[in-house]
């Protein structure tokens, strides 16, 4: 692989990309990230997870200074947890999306304040599906249970960074998609056949990457982006060099400049090592 430009920032999706299927860094990844920062390269997790959902193995690395979370809705100082930039929906738009999803009788959860708010029946449903897997630990570490999501957002004037929607079938997903397409001020992506991620219009990983670049006075041409899913497409398009994982969706591979090894074989860090 030859990259004919100086890379100053590397953005990497987490699930299916920087993290292996056990939701951990592969052996040697922490050392590679350290060496990259010593070489003057920022390594930035860019994820659909809320801030509190970033695993400790990533968040506590001294070299990780910034995190793009909730599909680009938040740029966060990794050490203080403070928002540097926020692209959340207004409270009014949050409630509008809430009512749309409620009328569809699907399971959904809003992200706000760096966590995912949920109700007991929703988290119990998810735990039942993922009991004993790494996803269960992720769910328990990121969910804040409340009695009523609607009351929480109305009474505390909360603004959603993202809505995560779980559909029972592809048909239900298509029904909700048709409603979202008629809703102004939002955009959405699919995650597998059953899940939808909804954010504010023009809020995505790619736009957040450009905002962070302005904050750090780095040209987007001097960035490299790694991803595996459809919500990474705009992110890869905005970066100077785009890298898809071998395990990525075909649509992502088609848009990439480079194909890396799989997330279980430390594909991200193998590419970083070639830069170093």
């Amino acid at each position: 692989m030859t990259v004919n430009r100086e890379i100053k920032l590397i953005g990497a999706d987490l699930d299916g990309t920087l993290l292996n299927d056990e939701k951990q860094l592969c052996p040697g990844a922490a050392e590679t990230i350290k060496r990259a920062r010593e070489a003057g390269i920022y390594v930035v997790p860019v994820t659909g997870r809320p801030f509190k959902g970033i695993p400790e193995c990533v968040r506590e690395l001294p070299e990780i200074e910034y995190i793009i979370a909730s599909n680009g809705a938040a740029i966060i100082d990794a050490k203080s947890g403070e928002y540097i930039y926020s692209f959340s929906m207004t409270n009014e738009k949050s409630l509008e999306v809430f009512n749309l999803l409620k009328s569809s009788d699907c399971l959904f959860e809003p992200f706000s304040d760096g966590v995912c708010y949920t109700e007991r029946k929703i988290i119990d449903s998810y735990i039942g599906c993922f009991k004993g897997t790494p996803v269960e630990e992720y769910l328990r570490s990121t969910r804040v249970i409340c009695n009523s999501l609607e009351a929480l957002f109305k009474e505390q004037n909360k603004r959603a960074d993202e809505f995560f929607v779980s559909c029972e079938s592809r048909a239900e997903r298509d029904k909700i998609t048709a409603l979202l397409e008629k809703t102004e001020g939002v955009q959405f992506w699919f995650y597998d056949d059953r899940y939808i991620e909804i954010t504010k219009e023009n809020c995505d990983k790619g736009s957040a990457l450009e905002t962070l670049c302005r904050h750090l006075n780095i040209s987007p041409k001097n960035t490299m982006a790694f991803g595996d899913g459809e919500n990474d497409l705009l992110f890869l398009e905005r970066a100077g060099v785009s890298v898809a994982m071998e395990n990525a969706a075909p649509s992502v591979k088609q848009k990439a400049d480079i194909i890396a090894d799989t997330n279980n074989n430390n594909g991200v860090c193998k590419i970083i090592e070639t830069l170093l």
Side-chain angles (χ1 to χ4, degrees):
M1 180 200 73
T2 301
V3 178
N4 295 317
R5 59 170 61 95
E6 188 176 1
I7 299 300
K8 294 291 188 181
L9 185 151
I10 294 171
D13 174 51
L14 290 182
D15 298 288
T17 303
L18 187 59
L19 300 178
N20 61 25
D21 289 349
E22 296 301 313
K23 308 302 180 184
Q24 297 292 321
L25 292 171
C26 290
E31 180 61 28
T32 296
I33 292 170
K34 179 181 179 181
R35 295 205 315 117
R37 192 68 196 96
E38 289 173 347
I41 302 171
Y42 291 97
V43 178
V44 180
V46 183
T47 179
R49 295 181 180 219
F51 177 67
K52 293 296 178 65
I54 311 298
E56 290 184 3
C57 65
V58 174
R59 193 171 65 237
E60 295 186 354
L61 289 177
E63 296 76 25
I64 300 296
E65 299 172 54
Y66 302 96
I67 291 172
I68 295 174
S70 298
N71 274 316
I75 302 177
I76 300 167
D77 183 304
K79 303 314 172 198
S80 68
E82 295 181 357
Y83 279 45
I84 299 172
Y85 293 95
S86 174
F87 307 95
S88 58
M89 303 176 194
T90 63
N91 176 256
E92 291 78 12
K93 182 59 66 175
S94 300
L95 290 171
E96 179 184 347
V97 175
F98 180 94
N99 289 327
L100 180 153
L101 296 173
K102 185 178 179 181
S103 69
S104 300
D105 197 29
C106 60
L107 294 181
F108 65 92
E109 302 167 302
F111 292 6
S112 183
D113 311 320
V115 300
C116 176
Y117 289 102
T118 192
E119 296 176 357
R120 173 60 65 184
K121 64 179 181 180
I122 298 173
I123 188 65
D124 286 348
S125 174
Y126 284 149
I127 296 299
C129 293
F130 298 105
K131 187 74 173 176
T133 72
V135 176
E136 180 186 3
E137 181 181 351
Y138 163 68
L139 291 169
R140 292 190 184 281
S141 67
T142 57
R143 266 56 180 175
V144 174
I145 301 172
C146 59
N147 292 327
S148 168
L149 290 172
E150 185 173 13
L152 177 73
F153 271 71
K154 283 183 176 179
E155 294 169 7
Q156 298 189 25
N157 199 37
K158 288 194 177 295
R159 298 158 58 100
D161 290 335
E162 175 185 339
F163 283 88
F164 184 80
V165 185
S166 178
C167 306
E168 290 186 352
S169 64
R170 178 67 176 270
E172 182 180 72
R173 193 194 78 174
D174 292 344
K175 178 182 176 182
I176 296 171
T177 297
L179 294 174
L180 290 171
E181 288 174 341
K182 299 176 183 178
T183 304
E184 294 184 356
V186 300
Q187 62 188 44
F188 56 91
W189 300 270
F190 300 133
Y191 178 67
D192 291 334
D193 281 341
R194 293 182 52 209
Y195 305 107
I196 309 173
E197 296 174 308
I198 308 166
T199 63
K200 180 181 179 180
E201 187 177 24
N202 298 321
C203 168
D204 54 73
K205 292 181 177 183
S207 297
L209 174 68
E210 291 181 332
T211 300
L212 181 57
C213 283
R214 288 194 294 271
H215 180 80
L216 297 173
N217 196 28
I218 294 172
S219 170
K221 293 180 180 180
N222 297 116
T223 66
M224 176 178 282
F226 291 82
D228 73 308
E230 289 189 0
N231 64 337
D232 295 317
L233 285 172
L234 291 175
F235 172 44
L236 268 61
E237 287 178 5
R238 305 287 177 85
V241 180
S242 58
V243 186
M245 310 304 292
E246 179 59 43
N247 51 281
S251 60
V252 179
K253 289 183 177 180
Q254 290 173 3
K255 297 289 186 178
D257 300 315
I258 300 166
I259 305 298
D261 204 343
T262 69
N263 64 311
N264 288 323
N265 289 326
N266 216 6
V268 171
C269 289
K270 287 180 179 179
I271 298 294
I272 295 176
E273 287 291 345
T274 66
L275 297 178
L276 300 176

